[in-house]
Amino acid sequence: MYKLMIVDDSNIIRNRIERGFNELQFDLVATAGDGKTAVEHFKKFKPDIITMDITMPEMDGLECIQEIMAIDNTVSILVISALTDEYTGLQALAYGARGFLYKPFSDEELMNALNDLVTNP
């Protein structure tokens, strides 16, 4: 079972992701609405997989990815964002994210993206 943390400033998206993953494979250990809280939760709960929004208050997703990867570069981060800016997506991957999913997404797309993270470490 993989420990999952959901990071998104939208409560609607956090709930949507919560409903969309396989509870037999993933254990939700934390959620965060901003990057600063996400880093604190990461240190406390040590999730294996993180879904990460890019545009958030306090600390954006790119900075959050950098901080988390500096703590533990083995974590798998899936960026889930409405941004269609290719540069931002490439920056997220350069900082250590391992996948990118565009909003809006289907449950099937979410599960496929999460499964890719665990089957292709």
Side-chain angles (χ1 to χ4, degrees), residues 105-121:
F105 54 89
S106 69
D107 289 349
E108 182 179 355
E109 289 170 324
L110 175 63
M111 276 314 301
N112 288 340
L114 289 172
N115 285 331
D116 280 350
L117 290 183
V118 298
T119 56
N120 302 307

Side-chain angles (χ1 to χ4, degrees), residues 1-120:
M1 173 117 16
Y2 296 95
K3 294 186 289 184
L4 174 68
M5 177 168 71
I6 300 169
V7 183
D8 199 297
D9 63 331
S10 166
N11 195 38
I12 293 167
I13 296 295
R14 286 196 309 270
N15 290 336
R16 171 100 171 63
I17 295 169
E18 262 185 76
R19 289 192 311 268
F21 67 84
N22 179 347
E23 293 176 7
L24 300 175
Q25 190 173 12
F26 301 100
D27 178 27
L28 181 62
V29 295
T31 62
D34 62 77
K36 185 175 180 225
T37 304
V39 172
E40 292 167 9
H41 285 352
F42 181 77
K43 291 175 184 175
K44 182 176 180 181
F45 296 105
K46 308 270 193 280
D48 306 300
I49 296 177
I50 301 171
T51 65
M52 178 73 65
D53 189 16
I54 294 293
T55 308
M56 297 182 293
E58 304 243 1
M59 177 191 297
D60 71 19
L62 292 178
E63 187 178 349
C64 186
I65 291 168
Q66 289 178 291
E67 290 213 14
I68 287 173
M69 294 307 284
I71 297 166
D72 179 359
N73 66 1
T74 66
V75 67
S76 293
I77 299 175
L78 173 65
V79 173
I80 301 179
S81 178
L83 290 179
T84 56
D85 171 20
E86 188 175 332
Y87 176 77
T88 303
L90 292 173
Q91 281 297 111
L93 295 172
Y95 293 155
R98 298 213 11 253
F100 200 97
L101 184 63
Y102 289 104
K103 295 175 186 172
F105 54 89
S106 69
D107 289 349
E108 182 179 355
E109 289 170 324
L110 175 63
M111 276 314 301
N112 288 340
L114 289 172
N115 285 331
D116 280 350
L117 290 183
V118 298
T119 56
N120 302 307

